[in-house]
Amino acid sequence: MKAMILAAGRGERMRPLTDHCPKPLLPVAGQPLVTYHLQRLAAAGIREVVINTAWLAEQLPMALGDGSAFGLHIHYSHEGTALETAGGIRRALPWLGEEFLLLNGDVYCDLDLALLAAQPAPCLVLVDNPPQHPQGDFGLVSPKVVNSPRQYTYAGLAKLQAHLFEALPDGHGALGPLLRQWSEQGLLQGLHHKGYWQDVGTPERLARLDADLRSQG
């Protein structure tokens, strides 16, 4: 199985930190945020990873290389202008298999990714609604994801299928509306993660994650 890390966004809410550094490369407890994903992917037995790039695109391959330092092979899907989440996935399909893991490059999660890889696809990882997103995204009537009540938040980690994206045009497109459509159709399974998760959406949450990881030693 392969994986894709979404890393093309501008990170507007993280400015000025992201003016000169892509958000996935921001340092957390002494290493770039995205490297925690790479380490967990390798530990789960994943060997091939696609990373999409747009904003400050050259910095990601400069920092991560070909992935061999992590026991991986990384392919970079250079978009030029960011195509958003679904658009980035659609562009990367030639390098992904039918089933693949998807990880947002700006989240930290201590989930064992082998557990996600073992789930039936398509499957979303859900977490309890955090303070910054109390309205939530989805509900869970195990094992199905439902659109209401919204007591859970999409964690930015999923196991998806390429055929769900093949009919999309090559261009800009968001993943959120697709997830709601698939949920309405009863296609999505859910995995409720009760461990540590942080969406690094603001400098304050980045600092909190840094402090939490440093306190863990």
Side-chain angles (χ1 to χ4, degrees), residues 1-21:
M1 182 176 295
K2 300 178 182 179
M4 180 174 185
I5 298 175
L6 296 172
R10 172 67 175 82
E12 290 287 350
R13 291 178 299 164
M14 295 294 291
R15 298 183 67 184
L17 298 179
T18 52
D19 285 346
H20 305 288
C21 179

Side-chain angles (χ1 to χ4, degrees), residues 127-142:
V127 294
D128 294 337
N129 292 338
Q132 69 269 18
H133 191 60
Q135 71 272 24
D137 297 315
F138 297 104
L140 184 61
V141 180
S142 189

